[in-house]
Amino acid sequence: SQTIHQWPATLVQPVGSPLSLECTVEGTSNPNLYWYRQAAGRGLQLLFYSVGIGQISSEVPQNLSASRPQDRQFILSSKKLLLSDSGFYLCAWGDRGDQPQHFGDGTRLSIL
Amino acid sequence: AQSVTQLGSHVSVSEGALVLLRCNYSSSVPPYLFWYVQYPNQGLQLLLKYTTGATLVKGINGFEAEFKKSETSFHLTKPSAHMSDAAEYFCAVTFMFSGGYNKLIFGAGTRLAVHP
């Protein structure tokens, strides 16, 4: 069966520090991969998606970037974190077609 | 433009009462519809989905939803609420885009409280 792993679960970072969040998927090949952010009390905002290695599309302009160095690895990064980057970050994978997306357990990011 | 509206950001029910969470969507093409549940500090778990075929779909934990095209709705129901149902629920719609990926559009969520 397919599984998705995200780490770390929680992270506290100072303003201006770099960021790297990692997501890996097991049990499937060539999945679509997604990064979402969920601000407190709000819905989910799609940040990035990827349909293949090295293929990244950004949904909104921001201080973050994403990379997909391997088929089942998706990384969210920042060179300098802002206070507004605080939130709950979720990685998801999905097959093509009418299949749902499946989510990791998320990373709670707090910026001080 | 496609969108999802969840009526009521907070819903409170008594244990054993009917749960009804409302979701309406706008779309110019046939949608695929999903309900997800999120427990505190966790990711989203799929409750159920509608793609094609039977308009009444059953999911996990006793939930079901009915796709009504004429009303552009996909409301989530459960006959009898349990304390463990307290969570946040998200309705989502997706459409196939060129390039083979499907973009999920989420509603703002409904927080369900269940009291004794």
Side-chain angles (χ1 to χ4, degrees):
Chain A
S1 63
Q2 301 90 354
T3 56
I4 179 169
H5 304 281
Q6 265 187 262
W7 66 92
T10 59
L11 189 60
V12 180
Q13 292 284 95
V15 170
S17 64
L19 173 74
S20 180
L21 303 181
E22 189 163 343
C23 171
T24 59
V25 180
E26 296 176 358
T28 187
S29 296
N30 198 24
N32 294 330
L33 296 173
Y34 307 83
W35 277 112
Y36 292 86
R37 177 169 58 204
Q38 186 177 26
R42 302 180 64 179
L44 283 82
Q45 179 185 37
L46 178 63
L47 302 176
F48 301 95
Y49 67 89
S50 172
V51 299
I53 296 174
Q55 301 179 61
I56 307 296
S57 296
S58 173
E59 282 290 303
V60 293
Q62 58 208 315
N63 185 44
L64 302 169
S65 62
S67 62
R68 184 171 178 174
Q70 301 180 41
D71 181 45
R72 290 169 289 177
Q73 183 185 29
F74 205 23
I75 298 172
L76 184 69
S77 304
S78 174
K79 292 181 179 179
K80 287 186 177 182
L81 286 167
L82 307 172
L83 284 174
S84 58
D85 291 325
S86 292
F88 193 49
Y89 288 82
L90 290 159
C91 181
W93 73 271
D95 289 326
R96 288 155 179 79
D98 61 356
Q99 297 306 303
Q101 293 176 20
H102 304 276
F103 289 79
D105 288 334
T107 295
R108 175 77 57 194
L109 175 63
S110 300
I111 310 300
L112 303 179
Chain B
Q2 296 85 3
S3 65
V4 177
T5 302
Q6 290 184 240
L7 295 176
S9 59
H10 291 81
V11 171
S12 182
V13 301
S14 299
E15 191 173 20
L18 171 72
V19 176
L20 171 60
L21 305 181
R22 300 178 186 273
C23 173
N24 289 87
Y25 68 92
S26 67
S27 171
S28 57
V29 297
Y32 303 138
L33 295 157
F34 308 90
W35 275 100
Y36 287 87
V37 61
Q38 184 180 33
Y39 299 99
N41 293 312
Q42 293 186 24
L44 276 68
Q45 180 183 6
L46 180 70
L47 276 177
L48 47 78
K49 67 176 183 179
Y50 169 79
T51 53
T52 58
T55 56
L56 180 64
V57 293
K58 296 185 183 298
I60 63 172
N61 303 338
F63 284 93
E64 62 182 35
E66 186 171 12
F67 170 59
K68 292 187 177 181
K69 183 178 179 180
S70 62
E71 299 178 7
T72 61
S73 69
F74 191 56
H75 301 331
L76 182 70
T77 60
K78 182 173 181 178
S80 178
H82 192 272
M83 297 295 289
S84 61
D85 294 326
E88 188 150 25
Y89 293 79
F90 292 93
C91 181
V93 61
T94 190
F95 313 90
M96 279 304 298
F97 287 80
S98 61
Y101 88 99
N102 57 341
K103 178 179 178 179
L104 268 181
I105 298 172
F106 284 89
T110 297
R111 187 169 299 278
L112 175 66
V114 182
H115 51 86

